[in-house]
Amino acid sequence: MQDAVRGIAPQSVWKYFSDISSIPRESGNEAGMQAYLTSFAKEHSLDYTVDGTGNVIIRKEAAPGFESKPSVALQGHMDMVCVKDEGVVHDFATDPLTLVRDGDILKAQGTTLGADNGIAVALILSILGDTEALHGPLEGIFTVEEETGLTGAFGLEERNIKSRLLINLDSEEEGIFYIGCAGGIETRVTKAVNWKETEQKAKAFLLTAGGMQGGHSGGEIHKQRANAIKAAARVLTHLPSFSLFSAEGGTKRNVIPSLAKFGFVIDAKDEQLLFDTLTQVQEELKSEYEYADPDLTLTLQEAEKPAMVVDRSESKQFITALYAAPHGVDAMSMSIPGIVETSTNLAIISLDKEHAKVIASHRSSILSSRDDVAKRFGAIFSLIGADVTFEGAYPSWKPNPHSKLTAFCAKAYEEYTGKEPVVTAIHAGLECGIINSRVEGMDSVSFGPTMWDVHSTKERISISSVAWLDGFTRHLLEIIE
């Protein structure tokens, strides 16, 4: 066990979380987690299934005297978003995360923490492994590749799941119970590029947009944080002419880009204009994001002049399309005050020898709006001759006001805390909507401990909130009928 969590209650949860933090589990690389979970099931003599998608389902019989209670599934995903600070040496395929405790806060050193959704896995294992826990029949459902397309949820088979009550532990604010979420879709843009010899009098530069907070493109899109790709493109659109030779920005489709870099050449006569523009845009963005992203920075440095660059006209078209493409909140919900209805995250850009590429993710609780904003995004790039495809669509989760499980959650929360819960929907995509569509009659609720800035290197979790989550979940399982 890592020293950062040694001695913290509930110790069994943190013991499992420490174990999990040593296992590589970036989306698509969950083999180590699968082995760990099946080994746990064998060690505790629990029945388990590994399905064709790679999901692990572990079953536990009811505690004595609780045999008549309904079967409940506790669900979380194995994978995590892997992001590290610039300059940090860390290999997510081999290196353990380094946990750091700061009072009531737990974080990781220079990387994402992976509490999304490792804390759910740890909590479920703690309950499954506790011979004194009071509950009816239990199933632990551990899905794969949630962060890159909800693959595991789509691959679940009804025949492997006995429960019709599902507690999803993938939410991030104590006392908030979610009974609905947005659906999503992904846009992929591919634009063929032509390379030409660099002109002799051209000067090369590297523009970097950084210092931004980034964050979860669903749960934090409403915070109006800056997008590094958009910030850098804004600078280049002021230039009369330029040619790209490199472009990279963003890391994951569901992470707001916090870093972007563009390599380009300009005519020597435009050098002063470039520096003046950088100063102007930096001042504008500092003012616009004074509260949402105060550490935003734009930097410019001379680069070695490349032998080949992308055609000037094509470079200008690509940057203009990035500048014009939608990003951020598109519409707020009229049915649930304060909830984002539709949004776009311009997530990732890249440039190779043949193509400039863009990936964006779109979310909405209204599926026609989800598809419309995706088509609008794609239409901008179609105008410059790019190939546009849409993939990875997943359904929204429509709130059920008559949910039996929601009523039990509300009752348990009032009993456990003396407070009234908040029951609402969330703009982020949750696996509940997909699982509900895969398993007929499933009734779902999502809740979790307080976390901040997930999907970024500032991700952190409240230690005391994890203690609440453990105690509350156990109380809920005890009273469900």
Side-chain angles (χ1 to χ4, degrees):
M1 180 182 294
Q2 292 196 36
D3 289 341
V5 294
R6 194 180 302 278
I8 302 175
Q11 187 67 166
S12 62
V13 174
W14 292 113
K15 182 267 182 190
Y16 288 119
F17 186 74
S18 180
D19 288 351
I20 292 164
S21 297
S22 68
I23 302 171
R25 53 194 171 97
E26 186 168 14
S27 303
N29 183 31
E30 295 103 334
M33 279 300 298
Q34 291 161 342
Y36 178 76
L37 292 170
T38 56
S39 177
F40 168 90
K42 293 174 184 177
E43 179 185 347
H44 292 83
S45 301
L46 299 174
D47 180 45
Y48 71 93
T49 298
V50 180
D51 67 21
T53 307
N55 303 309
V56 178
I57 302 167
I58 302 177
R59 305 174 188 88
K60 183 182 181 185
E61 294 181 355
F66 288 76
E67 292 87 354
S68 63
K69 286 185 175 292
S71 181
V72 176
L74 302 174
Q75 189 264 320
H77 59 86
M78 303 178 208
D79 59 320
M80 65 175 284
V81 169
C82 293
V83 181
K84 60 184 178 181
D85 284 329
E86 189 172 14
V88 169
V89 178
H90 185 93
D91 186 347
F92 284 106
T94 57
D95 298 343
L97 304 176
T98 301
L99 305 179
V100 179
R101 183 182 179 187
D102 182 8
D104 188 50
I105 300 300
L106 188 74
K107 55 188 177 180
Q109 186 172 302
T111 69
T112 37
L113 173 63
D116 175 15
N117 195 217
I119 201 65
V121 177
L123 174 66
I124 297 169
L125 294 181
S126 175
I127 295 173
L128 290 175
D130 184 354
T131 57
E132 298 183 2
L134 302 177
H135 53 73
L138 284 184
E139 291 179 299
I141 301 177
F142 307 93
T143 50
V144 297
E145 297 184 46
E146 188 270 351
E147 300 289 7
T148 55
L150 301 158
T151 304
F154 276 115
L156 284 172
E157 300 177 62
E158 184 174 326
R159 62 186 176 88
N160 290 327
I161 299 173
K162 299 177 182 178
S163 305
R164 291 301 179 266
L165 299 176
L166 177 79
I167 297 172
N168 169 278
L169 295 162
D170 194 16
S171 296
E172 300 156 12
E173 191 171 358
E174 180 182 323
I176 308 294
F177 294 83
Y178 294 108
I179 59 170
C181 73
I185 195 169
E186 187 175 291
T187 301
R188 289 182 175 261
V189 174
T190 304
K191 174 68 173 71
V193 292
N194 293 298
W195 293 79
K196 298 186 175 181
E197 291 186 4
T198 306
E199 297 175 5
Q200 283 190 340
K201 294 183 179 180
K203 296 199 69 173
F205 295 91
L206 179 65
L207 170 65
T208 301
M212 285 155 265
Q213 297 186 70
H216 193 296
S217 65
E220 294 173 311
I221 198 73
H222 66 286
K223 295 181 180 179
Q224 302 185 97
R225 294 174 177 172
N227 181 315
I229 297 170
K230 300 286 284 186
R234 181 163 167 173
V235 174
L236 294 177
T237 54
H238 285 74
L239 303 179
S241 179
F242 58 87
S243 295
L244 295 172
F245 62 84
S246 67
E248 59 177 321
T251 55
K252 310 288 181 182
R253 62 174 183 81
N254 51 7
V255 177
I256 302 167
S258 59
L259 180 68
K261 298 181 179 182
F262 288 91
F264 60 96
V265 301
I266 59 171
D267 293 334
K269 64 181 178 59
D270 291 329
E271 183 174 359
Q272 188 57 51
L273 172 63
L274 172 61
F275 281 95
D276 290 345
T277 297
L278 184 79
T279 300
Q280 174 190 331
V281 174
Q282 174 82 58
E283 292 176 353
E284 292 173 352
L285 293 175
K286 279 288 187 182
S287 175
E288 293 169 20
Y289 292 98
E290 179 181 2
Y291 302 104
D293 242 326
D295 297 326
L296 181 155
T297 58
L298 298 173
T299 59
L300 196 64
Q301 62 187 81
E302 286 196 39
E304 183 178 348
K305 188 165 64 176
M308 304 289 287
V309 293
V310 175
D311 175 81
R312 286 185 178 231
S313 176
E314 292 177 1
S315 295
K316 185 73 171 179
Q317 288 178 348
F318 181 63
I319 292 297
T320 302
L322 289 175
Y323 181 63
H327 169 81
V329 175
D330 190 74
M332 297 296 292
S333 174
M334 298 297 287
S335 60
I336 306 177
I339 299 296
V340 177
E341 180 181 276
T342 307
S343 74
T344 288
N345 180 40
L346 197 173
I348 304 171
I349 60 163
S350 61
L351 176 65
D352 59 32
K353 293 181 179 179
E354 298 181 349
H355 300 98
K357 299 177 182 179
V358 180
I359 298 175
S361 64
H362 318 273
R363 305 174 191 263
S364 183
S365 53
I366 300 175
L367 297 190
S368 60
S369 297
R370 175 199 72 181
D371 296 343
D372 179 67
V373 73
K375 290 176 181 177
R376 282 189 277 128
F377 186 96
I380 290 172
F381 289 92
S382 294
L383 291 173
I384 65 169
D387 294 325
V388 178
T389 58
F390 306 102
E391 55 188 65
Y394 59 90
S396 58
W397 172 23
K398 186 177 181 180
N400 174 15
H402 306 295
S403 162
K404 177 182 176 181
L405 181 57
T406 302
F408 273 115
C409 287
K411 176 185 177 182
Y413 187 75
E414 290 179 7
E415 291 177 349
Y416 192 74
T417 67
K419 304 175 184 177
E420 288 190 10
V422 175
V423 180
T424 186
I426 189 173
H427 186 58
L430 293 171
E431 292 170 290
C432 301
I434 298 167
I435 296 173
N436 290 354
S437 70
R438 301 285 296 172
V439 181
E440 186 175 358
M442 185 66 85
D443 185 4
S444 302
V445 171
S446 178
F447 56 85
T450 298
M451 292 187 272
W452 302 270
D453 297 321
V454 299
H455 295 189
S456 80
T457 56
K458 294 183 179 180
E459 179 186 0
R460 47 206 197 284
I461 189 169
S462 164
I463 294 170
S464 58
S465 190
V466 172
W468 163 82
L469 178 67
D470 178 72
F472 170 74
T473 304
R474 290 168 181 265
H475 176 66
L476 174 61
L477 292 174
E478 190 173 347
I479 71 165
I480 282 180
E481 296 178 354

